[in-house]
Amino acid sequence: MYRALASRAVRATKSLSDTKSSTFLASFTSSRLNHSLPFATVDAEEISGTHPAEVQSFVQGKWIGSSNYNTFLDPLNGEPFIKVAEVEESGVQPFVESLSQCPKHGLHNPFKSPERYLLYGDISTKAAHMLALPKVRFLARSFAVPGNHLGQQSHGYRWPYGPVSDDCYTIQFPLEIPLLQLMGALYMGNKPLLKVDSKVSIVMEQMMRLLHYCGLPVEDVDFINSDGKTMNKILLEANPRMTLFTGSSRVAEKLALDLKGRIRLEDAGFDWKVLGPDVHEVDYVAWVCDQDAYACSGQKCSAQSMLFMHENWAKTSLVSKLKDLAGRRKLEDLTIGPVLTFTTEAMLEHMENLLQIQGSKLLFGGKPLKNHSIPSIYGALEPTAVYVPIEEILKDSKTYELVTREIFGPFQIVTEYTKDQLPLVLDALERMHAHLTAAVVSNDPIFIQEVIGNSVNGTTYAGLRGRTTGAPQNHWFGPAGDPRGAGIGTPEAIKLVWSCHREIIYDFGPVPRGWELPPST
C-alpha cells in the first residue's frame, strides 16, 4: 500500500506533459518512474528493505535531516522500507522562527504584492494539468457597497492570516488533501508550516520538490516531520494565526484548547447511509455500498460506517449481494489490504463486543486475512458487517457509543427499520458527534427532505446514486454543525479556511458645504 501511495505521487506528474507549457514540461515526458524527474529523490518502484527511502523536512529554504529516524515497515511484507527523519523537540526553533517572521498581513494580500496571485497561478499551471488556468486571483475578489454620502464607499476583502499551520494527519489521501489545503493557504497569501502523518509523508515530500521545481519560492512553505508532541510544541511557541487540523476528534479538541480557538477542523467521520422505502436497482446500490464501506480497506474519513436499511430493502437480496461483493475482495490485488491504524486484534475485539448486544449477529467477514506477511502492528481483516437492532443501538449511551465507534478499516454496522421507526433513525443521527459525509438513497423527495431536514452532515449525497464517498472534484467536502468546520474542494472552502474578512471604508469627502463645528457628544 505504501508503495502504491508513493507511486501515485510521482505518477501524478505524468499529466504535466499535456499542458500548454510544453517548453517547461519537456523534461517530464521521458521515463516517469526514475530519476530523470529532476525533482525526485526516490524511485517509487524500487523502494524496499534493501533500497529504503529517506524523507526529510524543509525549513527556511533548506532540506534538513535528523539523527532521529522513524522507520516504517512495508505493510505487505514487514520490511523496513521508509526512514523518516523526524525533528525532535530540541530542534523546533528554526520552524518557530520561520513562522514568526511572517507578518499577520501575509506574504501577499489585495494591497500587497498582488502579482503573487498570478505567480501561484503559474506555479499551479506547471505543477498539474488540472489547474491549467491561472485563475487564483479571483479567490481574493472584493465587493463594494455604496456609502451614506458622496465620496464614501465600503469595500470587503478576503485577507490572509499570515503565519499558519496545515496539519493533515490523513493516510488515505496522502496527496489530495494536504496538497489542496496547502495550495489554498498559499493562494490566499499565507505562509504555511505543513505537517502530514509520517507514515505517508514521503508523498508530500516529493510533491514539495516538484513544486520547487515549478517555481514555488522556497521561503513560502516549511515542511516538518515529527511526532505529535514536537508539533504541539511548535504550535504553542510559534503561535500561528490559524491552524487547519485534519485528523482525529480527540486531538482536534485538544488543539482547539491549546490554540485558543484559532483553528479549523476536518476531523473524524462516522458516516451513515439511509436506504429509503423505495427500492430500485438493487445490484447498483449494493455495489455502491460495497465501495463506500470497503474500498481502500475502509481507510477513509468518508467510509460508510453505518447502513440503515428500510424494511423494504431488507426483504431484497441486498445483504447477500453485499456479502458476495465483499467476498470478491482479495489481498492479491489489494482490493482488501493492510489496515494502518488498527490491529487485527483490536478490530476483532470490537466485533466481539458488538456481538454481545442482544439481537446482534455477524452478517459476513469477521475473520483475519490468511496467507499473508502483513506485520502484526497493522490490521488484516476480511470485509466485515455486523447487524445490530435499531432499538438496541438506542438503548443506552454506553451501547450507542460502542456501536458508533469509528473503526478506520473494513468494518460497518448494518441495521433495519420499519416505516414507523424512522424517528428512531433520526434520533440515532442526531446523537452522532461527527458530521462529515452521509447518503440518503431514495428517489422520494418527501423522504429525502425529512432525513436531510433532520440531520446536519456537511457533505450529503441524496438520490438513487447517493454515496458517502466521493472525491471533491466538483463540490464542497467538509463537516457541518461546528463553527470550526473546515472545507475543501471549492473556492468557497479556500476562502473560508485560509482567509478572513477585512472591511475598508473609503471616505474622501467632500465635507458638506457650510459645515460648522457641532456640539460635543
Side-chain angles (χ1 to χ4, degrees):
M1 182 176 291
Y2 277 116
R3 192 172 294 114
L5 296 175
S7 297
R8 188 183 307 164
V10 178
R11 287 170 176 161
T13 62
K14 186 175 187 296
S15 63
L16 290 167
S17 61
D18 299 327
T19 70
K20 295 181 180 180
S21 305
S22 56
T23 302
F24 175 85
L25 298 171
S27 62
F28 285 83
T29 58
S30 58
S31 176
R32 305 294 175 189
L33 295 175
N34 58 37
H35 290 256
S36 67
L37 292 174
F39 65 87
T41 60
V42 299
D43 185 332
E45 295 299 317
E46 292 184 2
I47 299 175
S48 64
T50 54
H51 297 94
E54 183 175 328
V55 182
Q56 296 180 316
S57 298
F58 189 84
V59 65
Q60 296 177 330
K62 297 182 294 184
W63 289 101
I64 62 170
S66 170
S67 59
N68 177 42
Y69 282 95
N70 191 352
T71 301
F72 292 95
L73 306 183
D74 189 325
L76 295 178
N77 58 33
E79 293 182 353
F81 78 138
I82 296 179
K83 297 168 59 180
V84 179
E86 293 191 338
V87 176
E88 297 179 282
E89 289 188 62
S90 59
V92 305
Q93 197 57 34
F95 295 90
V96 173
E97 292 175 357
S98 185
L99 273 185
S100 300
Q101 289 166 1
C102 178
K104 294 178 183 178
H105 54 261
L107 299 178
H108 62 266
N109 60 53
F111 285 68
K112 172 188 173 182
S113 303
E115 67 277 1
R116 282 171 52 91
Y117 292 116
L118 295 180
L119 168 67
Y120 274 98
D122 187 47
I123 293 168
S124 298
T125 300
K126 294 173 181 176
H129 180 62
M130 292 299 292
L131 294 175
L133 298 176
K135 298 292 187 181
V136 295
R137 70 166 83 184
F138 295 108
L139 291 170
R141 177 182 292 167
S142 65
F143 63 85
V145 178
N148 293 331
H149 52 256
L150 182 65
Q152 186 186 76
Q153 195 175 61
S154 176
H155 289 253
Y157 295 92
R158 298 309 301 180
W159 214 255
Y161 291 104
V164 298
S165 176
D166 180 4
D167 294 9
C168 286
Y169 287 83
T170 171
I171 61 172
Q172 72 274 31
F173 302 113
L175 180 64
E176 177 194 42
I177 293 178
L179 182 59
L180 284 175
Q181 296 292 16
L182 173 66
M183 298 308 292
L186 291 167
Y187 292 156
M188 298 312 297
N190 301 290
K191 175 171 182 171
L193 169 60
L194 176 63
K195 169 76 173 80
V196 300
D197 193 302
S198 291
K199 294 185 181 71
V200 292
S201 61
I202 187 173
V203 179
M204 279 308 297
E205 188 226 37
Q206 293 299 298
M207 190 67 207
M208 283 281 294
R209 295 178 186 275
L210 183 151
L211 290 172
H212 288 153
Y213 184 73
C214 294
L216 172 69
V218 293
E219 66 275 7
D220 281 15
V221 185
D222 294 331
F223 173 69
I224 187 170
N225 297 292
S226 71
D227 60 19
K229 185 178 179 182
T230 300
M231 186 63 192
N232 196 77
K233 179 180 175 67
I234 292 175
L235 293 178
L236 293 177
E237 293 189 13
N239 195 30
R241 304 300 300 170
M242 207 286 293
T243 292
L244 168 74
F245 178 77
T246 306
S248 75
S249 295
R250 180 185 60 81
V251 176
E253 294 300 332
K254 179 186 184 304
L255 285 175
L257 292 174
D258 289 347
L259 302 177
K260 299 179 174 61
R262 295 191 303 273
I263 195 167
R264 290 281 184 179
L265 304 176
E266 187 179 336
D267 53 357
F270 186 88
D271 307 301
W272 49 263
K273 179 182 289 182
V274 177
L275 305 184
D278 49 325
V279 176
H280 311 278
E281 304 289 349
V282 177
D283 285 341
Y284 178 82
V285 171
W287 173 75
V288 175
C289 287
D290 174 76
Q291 287 292 108
D292 281 346
Y294 304 126
C296 299
S297 299
Q299 298 174 95
K300 47 192 177 177
C301 56
S302 57
Q304 176 180 302
S305 301
M306 181 176 284
L307 178 64
F308 296 88
M309 294 188 301
H310 189 277
E311 58 184 337
N312 294 346
W313 281 95
K315 295 172 184 176
T316 70
S317 57
L318 177 69
V319 173
S320 64
K321 291 181 182 297
L322 285 175
K323 181 178 180 180
D324 292 342
L325 289 168
R328 300 191 309 172
R329 296 184 174 275
K330 305 295 181 185
L331 183 60
E332 290 76 14
D333 58 9
L334 290 181
T335 50
I336 191 68
V339 175
L340 304 186
T341 55
F342 277 86
T343 64
T344 305
E345 290 73 20
M347 290 186 285
L348 290 175
E349 180 183 5
H350 180 63
M351 182 188 72
E352 292 299 330
N353 290 337
L354 290 168
L355 293 176
Q356 299 303 310
I357 299 172
Q358 184 175 354
S360 64
K361 59 184 177 181
L362 179 66
L363 295 178
F364 53 82
K367 298 177 181 178
L369 297 179
K370 299 178 180 179
N371 303 320
H372 64 78
S373 53
I374 297 172
S376 60
I377 61 170
Y378 303 122
L381 186 70
E382 294 179 351
T384 298
V386 174
Y387 172 84
V388 182
I390 184 70
E391 303 92 336
E392 295 297 321
I393 293 174
L394 299 168
K395 190 172 184 179
D396 55 61
S397 59
K398 183 177 180 181
T399 302
Y400 184 82
E401 290 174 5
L402 173 63
V403 172
T404 57
R405 181 190 177 196
E406 183 183 17
I407 300 296
F408 215 58
F411 200 104
Q412 68 170 320
I413 304 295
V414 178
T415 192
E416 179 184 340
Y417 69 100
T418 67
K419 63 179 182 179
D420 298 322
Q421 290 179 315
L422 182 58
L424 297 183
V425 175
L426 299 180
D427 185 22
L429 305 185
E430 176 67 19
R431 295 190 193 184
M432 292 183 188
H433 71 275
H435 305 295
L436 185 54
T437 73
V440 184
V441 180
S442 173
N443 280 346
D444 181 345
I446 296 177
F447 180 82
I448 291 174
Q449 181 177 346
E450 185 163 12
V451 176
I452 290 181
N454 288 278
S455 59
V456 73
N457 290 45
T459 304
T460 301
Y461 302 85
L464 173 64
R465 300 183 67 174
R467 54 187 175 165
T468 64
T469 297
Q473 297 170 335
N474 62 344
H475 61 74
W476 166 283
F477 185 90
D482 188 333
R484 304 167 301 177
I488 197 171
T490 65
E492 290 75 21
I494 293 173
K495 288 183 284 188
L496 172 77
V497 174
W498 296 112
S499 68
C500 57
H501 181 85
R502 184 181 187 188
E503 193 82 3
I504 299 176
I505 298 90
Y506 293 102
D507 203 342
F508 297 109
V511 174
R513 182 178 298 179
W515 181 88
E516 296 180 356
L517 183 68
S520 299
T521 59

